[in-house]
Amino acid sequence: MSEPVALDLARLRRSCSECSLQMLCLPTSVDGRDLRRLDTVVQRRKPLVKGESLFRSGDPLRAVYVASEGSFKTVVVNTSGEEHVLGFHLPGELFGLDAIGSGHHRCEAVAMTDARVCELPFAQLTSIAAQLPSLQGQLLRVIGQSADRDHDHVDLLSRRQAGERVALFVHSLSQRFRRIGRPADDFQLPMSRDEIARYLGLVLETVSRGFSRLHEDGVIEVRGRRVRILDEEALCLAANGGNDSLTPQPRKRDRA
Amino acid sequence: MSEPVALDLARLRRSCSECSLQMLCLPTSVDGRDLRRLDTVVQRRKPLVKGESLFRSGDPLRAVYVASEGSFKTVVVNTSGEEHVLGFHLPGELFGLDAIGSGHHRCEAVAMTDARVCELPFAQLTSIAAQLPSLQGQLLRVIGQSADRDHDHVDLLSRRQAGERVALFVHSLSQRFRRIGRPADDFQLPMSRDEIARYLGLVLETVSRGFSRLHEDGVIEVRGRRVRILDEEALCLAANGGNDSLTPQPRKRDRA
DNA sequence: CGTCGACTTGACTAAAATCAAACCCGGTGG
DNA sequence: CCACCGGGTTTGATTTTAGTCAAGTCGACG
């Protein structure tokens, strides 16, 4: 009975090895038949090119998604035509959950780079979850984690100082890179300054100045979208309003 | 077969008639035995006095809550000691879902007025949901709606102009009052200016000025916490950056 | 090698935070 | 009944901050 299970596990792990959904796709206690059934749910999708939309505001909830390659942003455009970025989604992070409440997507998902996604049809997912308690639990947890990210976003937006927002953004992005198994102190930003700005509730110039400031304070190294974290502790400090000490007086002081 | 069901429904409806969880507690297609089982989950809790906490940051997930009387706020205090308000919870609105992702609460829930809550132990809720597909669906939906509220909050915080945030806040609060069966154009705010400010990412003086401005523009009537909406359309307009037209030039113009 | 888009930097302006003073209102006690 | 708190709120004057406008710079790509 455990022979075919091992095979299925190996295959699934191979296809989703870097995926945040491992814990969703591979509940700890499921037998071979369940696993095989689960396997049928995950669908490969054709690749998307940079700028292409995966779903749009108003689309009915069909599936939730995970990028296996590339990154996405979810955005809303308000009545005045401004675009707000609700979230960034790195490879391996689940997104598209925004439609669960109403049955329709409230935002648009756009590929920030060429990308490839796995699609999990929602109806099938829930119907299988109904028969598989461990999957139900995992599903709830993953949804909850997505809500946690929204809370982090709110926390970010509530910071008064623009510099704090930028620092916290860099730091949390770093953490997320670590979680998906990539270097946390040296990475390439998949998004533009403008997109960061629309995520942080700032304008792009202010974001740029934030990066520059962190750079000249020796906290990070920035060249365009390439970021390297030199002093994580200082970064945390800067994210919590502690960077006053670095260039304290606005008076004519070079540094230290 | 339909006789005993009708009785249970009547009793449940009576106890939760104003409750947003009606659709969770009363799935459309459940038989009498299921209903009775669900009934056992909901627990009445002793009343809380103003300022009392229902749960604190770090507490393990035990239950989710609905106030039957009174209102709550959920807050986080960051490292610098500032308190951010993550959400306001009117009677009938579900809260406490923030712990689903990690198993621990990430924020603190405080009664803004004397209050009374219903408690839904989470473990029981999910185990029953596992046997009751319609309840599982309702549970997901309610969680999704909670995420929708977070998105609205993000949307609010992304607005550039302080006036827009205040206007949008008043408007969305008005909608929520309507949904719980209270007058949407004449209500008492359960929270202070300071709490609103911490929710909107502003300082209390700015919030106060926002209210005053809406008042003198004839959009709402404000006296302390009493709010009456005079012109809903103008309120929506103000929430979307359209109130420039009311007092356009900063030059020395009295009004119209 | 030139062009274009993304990013940086600077000077100025608009907006919100801060600091500080009144105000209003509900409650208390003379 | 009225004087007097005291908290929450409003309002005003000033300072700080981020937004705006406008040049530049950098780098990728044809």
Side-chain angles (χ1 to χ4, degrees), chain A residues 56-76:
Chain A
R56 292 207 160 75
S57 188
D59 285 357
L61 168 60
R62 264 187 285 273
V64 293
Y65 307 89
V66 186
S68 54
E69 288 169 44
S71 300
F72 285 80
K73 63 174 177 180
T74 40
V75 302
V76 288

PDB file of all heavy atoms in Angstrom, chain A residues 56-76:
ATOM      1  N   ARG A  56      -8.811  39.472 -14.707  1.00  0.00           N
ATOM      2  CA  ARG A  56      -9.127  40.888 -14.621  1.00  0.00           C
ATOM      3  C   ARG A  56     -10.201  41.129 -13.587  1.00  0.00           C
ATOM      4  O   ARG A  56     -10.937  40.219 -13.197  1.00  0.00           O
ATOM      5  CB  ARG A  56      -9.602  41.409 -15.977  1.00  0.00           C
ATOM      6  CG  ARG A  56      -8.517  41.438 -17.032  1.00  0.00           C
ATOM      7  CD  ARG A  56      -8.824  42.525 -18.068  1.00  0.00           C
ATOM      8  NE  ARG A  56      -7.616  42.896 -18.799  1.00  0.00           N
ATOM      9  CZ  ARG A  56      -7.057  42.149 -19.741  1.00  0.00           C
ATOM     10  NH1 ARG A  56      -7.585  40.979 -20.069  1.00  0.00           N
ATOM     11  NH2 ARG A  56      -5.964  42.565 -20.348  1.00  0.00           N
ATOM     12  N   SER A  57     -10.309  42.367 -13.168  1.00  0.00           N
ATOM     13  CA  SER A  57     -11.326  42.746 -12.203  1.00  0.00           C
ATOM     14  C   SER A  57     -12.704  42.409 -12.761  1.00  0.00           C
ATOM     15  O   SER A  57     -13.019  42.747 -13.898  1.00  0.00           O
ATOM     16  CB  SER A  57     -11.210  44.245 -11.933  1.00  0.00           C
ATOM     17  OG  SER A  57     -12.041  44.618 -10.888  1.00  0.00           O
ATOM     18  N   GLY A  58     -13.496  41.710 -11.962  1.00  0.00           N
ATOM     19  CA  GLY A  58     -14.836  41.339 -12.398  1.00  0.00           C
ATOM     20  C   GLY A  58     -14.928  39.920 -12.919  1.00  0.00           C
ATOM     21  O   GLY A  58     -16.026  39.352 -12.975  1.00  0.00           O
ATOM     22  N   ASP A  59     -13.805  39.347 -13.296  1.00  0.00           N
ATOM     23  CA  ASP A  59     -13.818  37.953 -13.756  1.00  0.00           C
ATOM     24  C   ASP A  59     -14.355  37.040 -12.654  1.00  0.00           C
ATOM     25  O   ASP A  59     -14.046  37.236 -11.493  1.00  0.00           O
ATOM     26  CB  ASP A  59     -12.394  37.484 -14.109  1.00  0.00           C
ATOM     27  CG  ASP A  59     -11.904  38.053 -15.424  1.00  0.00           C
ATOM     28  OD1 ASP A  59     -12.690  38.756 -16.092  1.00  0.00           O
ATOM     29  OD2 ASP A  59     -10.734  37.799 -15.769  1.00  0.00           O
ATOM     30  N   PRO A  60     -15.151  36.048 -13.033  1.00  0.00           N
ATOM     31  CA  PRO A  60     -15.625  35.101 -12.032  1.00  0.00           C
ATOM     32  C   PRO A  60     -14.473  34.253 -11.497  1.00  0.00           C
ATOM     33  O   PRO A  60     -13.491  34.015 -12.205  1.00  0.00           O
ATOM     34  CB  PRO A  60     -16.620  34.235 -12.803  1.00  0.00           C
ATOM     35  CG  PRO A  60     -16.221  34.360 -14.229  1.00  0.00           C
ATOM     36  CD  PRO A  60     -15.670  35.747 -14.372  1.00  0.00           C
ATOM     37  N   LEU A  61     -14.606  33.842 -10.267  1.00  0.00           N
ATOM     38  CA  LEU A  61     -13.587  32.994  -9.646  1.00  0.00           C
ATOM     39  C   LEU A  61     -13.562  31.633 -10.345  1.00  0.00           C
ATOM     40  O   LEU A  61     -14.528  30.882 -10.287  1.00  0.00           O
ATOM     41  CB  LEU A  61     -13.919  32.793  -8.160  1.00  0.00           C
ATOM     42  CG  LEU A  61     -13.129  31.710  -7.406  1.00  0.00           C
ATOM     43  CD1 LEU A  61     -11.646  32.010  -7.419  1.00  0.00           C
ATOM     44  CD2 LEU A  61     -13.632  31.594  -5.984  1.00  0.00           C
ATOM     45  N   ARG A  62     -12.470  31.349 -11.023  1.00  0.00           N
ATOM     46  CA  ARG A  62     -12.325  30.044 -11.648  1.00  0.00           C
ATOM     47  C   ARG A  62     -11.289  29.224 -10.905  1.00  0.00           C
ATOM     48  O   ARG A  62     -11.485  28.050 -10.633  1.00  0.00           O
ATOM     49  CB  ARG A  62     -11.881  30.199 -13.113  1.00  0.00           C
ATOM     50  CG  ARG A  62     -13.017  30.162 -14.118  1.00  0.00           C
ATOM     51  CD  ARG A  62     -12.477  30.158 -15.527  1.00  0.00           C
ATOM     52  NE  ARG A  62     -11.991  31.484 -15.920  1.00  0.00           N
ATOM     53  CZ  ARG A  62     -12.768  32.418 -16.448  1.00  0.00           C
ATOM     54  NH1 ARG A  62     -14.046  32.177 -16.646  1.00  0.00           N
ATOM     55  NH2 ARG A  62     -12.283  33.591 -16.787  1.00  0.00           N
ATOM     56  N   ALA A  63     -10.185  29.877 -10.588  1.00  0.00           N
ATOM     57  CA  ALA A  63      -9.064  29.141 -10.016  1.00  0.00           C
ATOM     58  C   ALA A  63      -8.225  30.069  -9.155  1.00  0.00           C
ATOM     59  O   ALA A  63      -8.391  31.292  -9.177  1.00  0.00           O
ATOM     60  CB  ALA A  63      -8.208  28.566 -11.138  1.00  0.00           C
ATOM     61  N   VAL A  64      -7.337  29.472  -8.391  1.00  0.00           N
ATOM     62  CA  VAL A  64      -6.283  30.246  -7.746  1.00  0.00           C
ATOM     63  C   VAL A  64      -4.970  29.837  -8.407  1.00  0.00           C
ATOM     64  O   VAL A  64      -4.910  28.804  -9.074  1.00  0.00           O
ATOM     65  CB  VAL A  64      -6.255  30.025  -6.225  1.00  0.00           C
ATOM     66  CG1 VAL A  64      -7.502  30.607  -5.593  1.00  0.00           C
ATOM     67  CG2 VAL A  64      -6.116  28.562  -5.885  1.00  0.00           C
ATOM     68  N   TYR A  65      -3.931  30.638  -8.227  1.00  0.00           N
ATOM     69  CA  TYR A  65      -2.732  30.470  -9.033  1.00  0.00           C
ATOM     70  C   TYR A  65      -1.436  30.498  -8.234  1.00  0.00           C
ATOM     71  O   TYR A  65      -1.356  31.108  -7.177  1.00  0.00           O
ATOM     72  CB  TYR A  65      -2.662  31.575 -10.091  1.00  0.00           C
ATOM     73  CG  TYR A  65      -3.909  31.685 -10.925  1.00  0.00           C
ATOM     74  CD1 TYR A  65      -4.969  32.498 -10.528  1.00  0.00           C
ATOM     75  CD2 TYR A  65      -4.045  30.957 -12.105  1.00  0.00           C
ATOM     76  CE1 TYR A  65      -6.128  32.590 -11.290  1.00  0.00           C
ATOM     77  CE2 TYR A  65      -5.196  31.047 -12.874  1.00  0.00           C
ATOM     78  CZ  TYR A  65      -6.239  31.858 -12.460  1.00  0.00           C
ATOM     79  OH  TYR A  65      -7.383  31.946 -13.205  1.00  0.00           O
ATOM     80  N   VAL A  66      -0.444  29.849  -8.794  1.00  0.00           N
ATOM     81  CA  VAL A  66       0.922  29.953  -8.283  1.00  0.00           C
ATOM     82  C   VAL A  66       1.853  30.060  -9.478  1.00  0.00           C
ATOM     83  O   VAL A  66       1.776  29.233 -10.384  1.00  0.00           O
ATOM     84  CB  VAL A  66       1.338  28.706  -7.487  1.00  0.00           C
ATOM     85  CG1 VAL A  66       2.702  28.928  -6.846  1.00  0.00           C
ATOM     86  CG2 VAL A  66       0.309  28.349  -6.456  1.00  0.00           C
ATOM     87  N   ALA A  67       2.701  31.072  -9.475  1.00  0.00           N
ATOM     88  CA  ALA A  67       3.682  31.162 -10.544  1.00  0.00           C
ATOM     89  C   ALA A  67       4.806  30.173 -10.272  1.00  0.00           C
ATOM     90  O   ALA A  67       5.309  30.101  -9.155  1.00  0.00           O
ATOM     91  CB  ALA A  67       4.240  32.580 -10.624  1.00  0.00           C
ATOM     92  N   SER A  68       5.156  29.378 -11.268  1.00  0.00           N
ATOM     93  CA  SER A  68       6.313  28.512 -11.107  1.00  0.00           C
ATOM     94  C   SER A  68       7.566  29.249 -11.573  1.00  0.00           C
ATOM     95  O   SER A  68       8.665  28.996 -11.121  1.00  0.00           O
ATOM     96  CB  SER A  68       6.123  27.214 -11.886  1.00  0.00           C
ATOM     97  OG  SER A  68       5.825  27.489 -13.237  1.00  0.00           O
ATOM     98  N   GLU A  69       7.360  30.176 -12.486  1.00  0.00           N
ATOM     99  CA  GLU A  69       8.445  31.051 -12.933  1.00  0.00           C
ATOM    100  C   GLU A  69       7.871  32.443 -13.098  1.00  0.00           C
ATOM    101  O   GLU A  69       6.751  32.620 -13.550  1.00  0.00           O
ATOM    102  CB  GLU A  69       8.981  30.619 -14.301  1.00  0.00           C
ATOM    103  CG  GLU A  69       9.785  29.348 -14.322  1.00  0.00           C
ATOM    104  CD  GLU A  69      10.014  28.900 -15.765  1.00  0.00           C
ATOM    105  OE1 GLU A  69      10.333  29.753 -16.604  1.00  0.00           O
ATOM    106  OE2 GLU A  69       9.831  27.694 -16.029  1.00  0.00           O
ATOM    107  N   GLY A  70       8.657  33.455 -12.774  1.00  0.00           N
ATOM    108  CA  GLY A  70       8.232  34.833 -12.971  1.00  0.00           C
ATOM    109  C   GLY A  70       7.408  35.353 -11.811  1.00  0.00           C
ATOM    110  O   GLY A  70       7.030  34.606 -10.924  1.00  0.00           O
ATOM    111  N   SER A  71       7.144  36.646 -11.849  1.00  0.00           N
ATOM    112  CA  SER A  71       6.419  37.287 -10.756  1.00  0.00           C
ATOM    113  C   SER A  71       5.215  38.059 -11.286  1.00  0.00           C
ATOM    114  O   SER A  71       5.208  38.515 -12.422  1.00  0.00           O
ATOM    115  CB  SER A  71       7.343  38.246 -10.007  1.00  0.00           C
ATOM    116  OG  SER A  71       8.438  37.553  -9.466  1.00  0.00           O
ATOM    117  N   PHE A  72       4.228  38.190 -10.417  1.00  0.00           N
ATOM    118  CA  PHE A  72       3.013  38.906 -10.777  1.00  0.00           C
ATOM    119  C   PHE A  72       2.769  40.060  -9.824  1.00  0.00           C
ATOM    120  O   PHE A  72       3.313  40.098  -8.727  1.00  0.00           O
ATOM    121  CB  PHE A  72       1.805  37.960 -10.711  1.00  0.00           C
ATOM    122  CG  PHE A  72       1.732  37.002 -11.866  1.00  0.00           C
ATOM    123  CD1 PHE A  72       2.522  35.856 -11.887  1.00  0.00           C
ATOM    124  CD2 PHE A  72       0.890  37.249 -12.930  1.00  0.00           C
ATOM    125  CE1 PHE A  72       2.460  34.977 -12.955  1.00  0.00           C
ATOM    126  CE2 PHE A  72       0.823  36.369 -14.005  1.00  0.00           C
ATOM    127  CZ  PHE A  72       1.607  35.234 -14.027  1.00  0.00           C
ATOM    128  N   LYS A  73       1.956  41.001 -10.288  1.00  0.00           N
ATOM    129  CA  LYS A  73       1.419  42.014  -9.382  1.00  0.00           C
ATOM    130  C   LYS A  73      -0.090  41.962  -9.508  1.00  0.00           C
ATOM    131  O   LYS A  73      -0.621  41.606 -10.571  1.00  0.00           O
ATOM    132  CB  LYS A  73       1.940  43.404  -9.740  1.00  0.00           C
ATOM    133  CG  LYS A  73       1.509  43.893 -11.128  1.00  0.00           C
ATOM    134  CD  LYS A  73       1.924  45.335 -11.396  1.00  0.00           C
ATOM    135  CE  LYS A  73       1.538  45.753 -12.818  1.00  0.00           C
ATOM    136  NZ  LYS A  73       1.909  47.148 -13.129  1.00  0.00           N
ATOM    137  N   THR A  74      -0.798  42.284  -8.424  1.00  0.00           N
ATOM    138  CA  THR A  74      -2.243  42.457  -8.507  1.00  0.00           C
ATOM    139  C   THR A  74      -2.541  43.932  -8.282  1.00  0.00           C
ATOM    140  O   THR A  74      -2.004  44.550  -7.363  1.00  0.00           O
ATOM    141  CB  THR A  74      -2.982  41.610  -7.461  1.00  0.00           C
ATOM    142  OG1 THR A  74      -2.274  41.624  -6.224  1.00  0.00           O
ATOM    143  CG2 THR A  74      -3.104  40.176  -7.922  1.00  0.00           C
ATOM    144  N   VAL A  75      -3.362  44.479  -9.148  1.00  0.00           N
ATOM    145  CA  VAL A  75      -3.613  45.917  -9.119  1.00  0.00           C
ATOM    146  C   VAL A  75      -5.110  46.221  -9.236  1.00  0.00           C
ATOM    147  O   VAL A  75      -5.872  45.436  -9.776  1.00  0.00           O
ATOM    148  CB  VAL A  75      -2.893  46.633 -10.287  1.00  0.00           C
ATOM    149  CG1 VAL A  75      -1.406  46.381 -10.238  1.00  0.00           C
ATOM    150  CG2 VAL A  75      -3.456  46.205 -11.625  1.00  0.00           C
ATOM    151  N   VAL A  76      -5.480  47.366  -8.713  1.00  0.00           N
ATOM    152  CA  VAL A  76      -6.818  47.909  -8.963  1.00  0.00           C
ATOM    153  C   VAL A  76      -6.644  49.312  -9.531  1.00  0.00           C
ATOM    154  O   VAL A  76      -5.730  50.036  -9.141  1.00  0.00           O
ATOM    155  CB  VAL A  76      -7.673  48.015  -7.681  1.00  0.00           C
ATOM    156  CG1 VAL A  76      -8.112  46.653  -7.214  1.00  0.00           C
ATOM    157  CG2 VAL A  76      -6.924  48.734  -6.577  1.00  0.00           C
TER     158      VAL A  76
END
